[in-house]
Amino acid sequence: MKNFTYVLNPTREEIGTVSEYYDFPFDYVSGILDDYENARFETDDNDNNLILLQYPALSNYGEVATFPYSLVWTKNESVILALNHEIDSRMIFDREYDYKRYKHQLIFQVMYQMTHAYHDYLREFRTRRRRLEVGIKNSTKNDQIVDMIAIQASLIYFEDALHNNIQVLRKFIDYLREDDEDGFADKIYDIFVETDQAYTETKIQLKLLENLRDLFSNIVSNNLNIVMKIMTSATFVLGIPAVIVGFYGMNVPIPGQAIKWMVWAILVVIVVVSGWVTWLLHRKDML
């Protein structure tokens, strides 16, 4: 692919060299140095075009975030892809391209891969969320809430990035149709539809996850309340033998102390009173 340049993690000096060689504005590529760069579509006076979109990838902190990539095509039919996080590029490089439609096919393929990366991650988040739903009933630990927070953070990144991508793709399609490139515009419209579907699913998953977090918090609180209720009731019941035995253990004259079988009577009284209190607590749903 002699007309394709792949730029990964460039320095400002390297960006300057590329932009000077292909004669397009420096900021067409330098935008990828800022992870929070907004998506945009631009065309300069020399008929060089930029479409900057955001794609999902693992961050240095192990979470899935979104990062900008620049896709530039020049007046000389050269295509430059620049990004600051490595992706699986086999779908781009392991393909045969029609030389006459090389530029359009390559641009479409890059956008197609980036868009479907969202769907792949959303599928993974959906699986993780369902796994959390299964294990949430008896949970009293923090592992699930930590996983929920990680998924929710990624979905917030996705929601903002996909919203911006949709706006840019809409402008790009309008631009292509104005230039009578309807065939290519229709292909990009397919990308637009896929992006819009990912955006809709992201919003749905965010709502489901927010409801799940609320449910999880309520379940954990309820489980802890049940544990505390049982422990309190058990402590109350176990206190009854301690009171009776303590009373008869005092070093003073006590009624019945001369009776040989008094110890058995005390044990019977302990069992009967403890059993009656336990039954009463259970009946009132306090145990």
Side-chain angles (χ1 to χ4, degrees):
M1 294 188 290
K2 63 180 182 178
N3 292 331
F4 178 58
T5 301
Y6 183 69
V7 182
L8 178 64
N9 293 327
T11 63
R12 296 185 67 86
E13 291 74 17
E14 291 170 336
I15 293 174
T17 300
V18 172
S19 61
E20 183 178 354
Y21 179 82
Y22 288 104
D23 192 24
F24 60 75
F26 177 83
D27 65 348
Y28 273 22
V29 175
S30 64
I32 67 169
L33 299 179
D34 180 6
D35 288 341
Y36 301 99
E37 183 76 11
N38 289 327
R40 65 181 189 272
F41 170 67
E42 294 182 12
T43 299
D44 67 7
D45 296 335
N46 296 324
D47 200 26
N48 296 312
N49 301 273
L50 162 71
I51 185 163
L52 190 149
L53 299 174
Q54 293 174 308
Y55 67 99
L58 286 174
S59 70
N60 296 330
Y61 302 101
E63 65 180 8
V64 182
T66 55
F67 305 97
Y69 75 91
S70 292
L71 189 58
V72 182
W73 57 102
T74 70
K75 57 186 177 182
N76 298 322
E77 301 295 310
S78 296
V79 180
I80 299 93
L81 171 63
L83 52 147
N84 56 357
H85 287 74
E86 191 170 3
I87 59 170
D88 183 1
S89 56
R90 288 175 296 179
M91 291 179 61
I92 299 174
F93 291 104
D94 297 346
R95 293 181 63 88
E96 295 292 335
Y97 295 93
D98 183 355
Y99 183 77
K100 294 181 180 180
R101 305 187 68 245
Y102 167 83
K103 179 184 69 173
H104 289 171
Q105 289 180 350
L106 183 57
I107 294 171
F108 172 80
Q109 194 60 40
V110 170
M111 291 185 178
Y112 178 86
Q113 178 178 354
M114 299 294 185
T115 301
H116 275 262
Y118 281 105
H119 287 280
D120 292 339
Y121 279 118
L122 287 170
R123 191 179 304 111
E124 177 189 339
F125 295 154
R126 187 166 57 246
T127 301
R128 288 167 61 183
R129 192 196 75 246
R130 288 172 178 170
R131 188 164 56 245
L132 288 170
E133 290 172 351
V134 171
I136 200 175
K137 183 177 180 181
N138 299 314
S139 177
T140 57
K141 298 182 179 180
N142 292 328
D143 296 346
Q144 288 88 347
I145 195 70
V146 171
D147 198 18
M148 286 184 201
I149 292 173
I151 296 174
Q152 189 172 36
S154 297
L155 289 173
I156 291 172
Y157 283 124
F158 279 25
E159 183 179 33
D160 183 68
L162 288 167
H163 174 73
N164 292 335
N165 287 357
I166 286 172
Q167 303 304 316
V168 173
L169 287 172
R170 185 179 287 118
K171 293 179 182 178
F172 185 40
I173 292 171
D174 292 340
Y175 166 80
L176 293 175
R177 287 176 174 166
E178 288 176 1
D179 284 5
D180 296 324
E181 297 191 49
D182 287 341
F184 186 44
D186 291 341
K187 297 286 287 183
I188 299 301
Y189 183 76
D190 293 338
I191 300 294
F192 173 84
V193 171
E194 293 285 341
T195 304
D196 188 56
Q197 290 174 349
Y199 179 59
T200 301
E201 183 177 353
T202 297
K203 293 194 294 183
I204 292 173
Q205 288 207 39
L206 264 175
K207 290 181 180 179
L208 291 174
L209 200 61
E210 289 172 359
N211 293 337
L212 186 61
R213 283 190 61 182
D214 293 339
L215 177 62
F216 177 81
S217 299
N218 292 334
I219 289 176
V220 170
S221 298
N222 184 62
N223 289 344
L224 291 175
N225 288 337
I226 291 173
V227 171
M228 294 303 297
K229 180 177 70 174
I230 293 174
M231 291 180 64
T232 303
S233 300
T235 301
F236 179 74
V237 172
L238 292 175
I240 295 173
V243 171
I244 296 175
V245 172
F247 178 78
Y248 273 90
M250 293 187 295
N251 192 22
V252 295
I254 297 175
Q257 65 181 7
I259 302 175
K260 295 182 179 179
W261 46 264
M262 194 60 187
V263 64
W264 300 107
I266 293 173
L267 291 176
V268 170
V269 171
I270 289 173
V271 171
V272 171
V273 174
S274 298
W276 177 76
V277 172
T278 301
W279 172 81
L280 187 64
L281 291 173
H282 181 71
R283 184 181 178 183
K284 294 182 177 296
D285 196 27
M286 298 176 65
L287 181 63

